[in-house]
Amino acid sequence: MFTLPQKDFRAPTTCLGPTCMQDLGSSHGEDLEGECSRKLDQKLPELRGGIINLGTSENKLCFDLLSWRLSQRDMQRVEPSLLQYADWRGHLFLREEVAKFLSFYCKSPVPLRPENVVVLNGGASLFSALATVLCEAGEAFLIPTPYYGAITQHVCLYGNIRLAYVYLDSEVTGLDTRPFQLTVEKLEMALREAHSEGVKVKGLILISPQNPLGDVYSPEELQEYLVFAKRHRLHVIVDEVYMLSVFEKSVGYRSVLSLERLPDPQRTHVMWATSKDFGMSGLRFGTLYTENQDVATAVASLCRYHGLSGLVQYQMAQLLRDRDWINQVYLPENHARLKAAHTYVSEELRALGIPFLSRGAGFFIWVDLRKYLPKGTFEEEMLLWRRFLDNKVLLSFGKAFECKEPGWFRFVFSDQVHRLCLGMQRVQQVLAGKSQVAEDPRPSQSQEPSDQRR
């Protein structure tokens, strides 16, 4: 059994401000406002001149846990086989651990098989490789919008593959509907429109939990989307990179690999990576699970450009097999910290009277700032984004996610307390019309809109 390290990894007493105290329970309660003030005072000298990044979707809450685990002796191993060429799909010992890991956490009805696993250096490489393998140049994937905008670059990089947008909107039309809800009717409409423009659609991309909405598709919805894809002989890429970052227990997340029977298993391809769920976006580890051996072999042929070193593969296998540490230490603590940070930012938004969508999954809140755009244009959205940046807080604007409604912004909350506090102060100043010109405009000039999409 795993033994806790000497450092106390209890849930942090962050605040986060008086408005979130009731949601965090008595163990987080009495001195949260003071905690925020003290940490902000301590960090002000280093933060005053810098940009607070609430735009990049990274989990910065659990470095202490991860650095401890990755520095343990069982992670430090060097042997000849780890320094030599390996199977391009990844070392067998790693693919076996990935299959066991996904079988357990995706709750697959039968054990997943290592021969269906390919490992690459991150989700971006997976998107690029899959698009190149599944499509010819100029062909397209359907993708619901708003979506993680960097996918546009990923799928275009090698094969010049396009995206055909399934536009969703915030209108709620009935008791059983929600904002930005994906339906089969909208998929059919987008497919017909693409065909009318002479675009050949080869697949559908689904992200669950969704980025930037945080939506979690129900098993019934997943089944409907997969049946639609089978009817039109479309491949489906399911990106589940946030599957272990569902921090609200009431959210009933289900992996597509948990379904009893996939409508078209040969055309269903599932992605996962450690960048989000384990806060390791710099380590670059991603994995594909597909029952289509032709696809697996073709993707593996590109791993000569996107492979992982043997030493990293060994570390990943050690991490994924340590179920005791993951279940007893990392996931409970990570979820507690995510929930505390989410509670703070959402309560701050409520105090400002700002509507938002949040589903209890991922690292972000989809925020409705349309009332600050008098004419409701994307030009105004960009100007507001620039005002935030001039006031030294970086957010992601809706156009970067191909949202068709101007005025939506993504706020990332998975950061340390002092940065969240100062970032939300700056947001409030901008929205109250009290923003100041940045002391040094050069950082804002170096930030291009395309950088928002991560």
Side-chain angles (χ1 to χ4, degrees), residues 86-156:
D87 185 337
W88 290 122
R89 295 184 183 217
H91 278 287
L92 179 58
F93 65 77
L94 174 58
R95 290 186 285 119
E96 289 175 341
E97 291 303 327
V98 168
K100 294 174 185 176
F101 178 89
L102 294 179
S103 295
F104 182 82
Y105 289 104
C106 295
K107 297 181 173 58
S108 61
V110 297
L112 302 179
R113 299 161 58 188
E115 59 263 35
N116 297 336
V117 173
V118 183
V119 295
L120 294 84
N121 60 341
S125 298
L126 268 170
F127 269 119
S128 294
L130 275 171
T132 303
V133 164
L134 298 177
C135 299
E136 300 292 339
E139 295 178 340
F141 287 100
L142 292 175
I143 190 166
T145 74
Y147 72 99
Y148 166 59
I151 294 174
T152 305
Q153 300 159 335
H154 301 338
V155 301
C156 183

Side-chain angles (χ1 to χ4, degrees), residues 75 82 93-94 283-285 308-318:
M75 289 286 181
L82 300 179
F93 65 77
L94 174 58
L283 191 136
R284 313 310 302 146
F285 170 82
L308 291 84
S309 76
L311 300 178
V312 170
Q313 292 192 48
Y314 176 80
Q315 286 185 317
M316 287 299 94
Q318 290 297 101

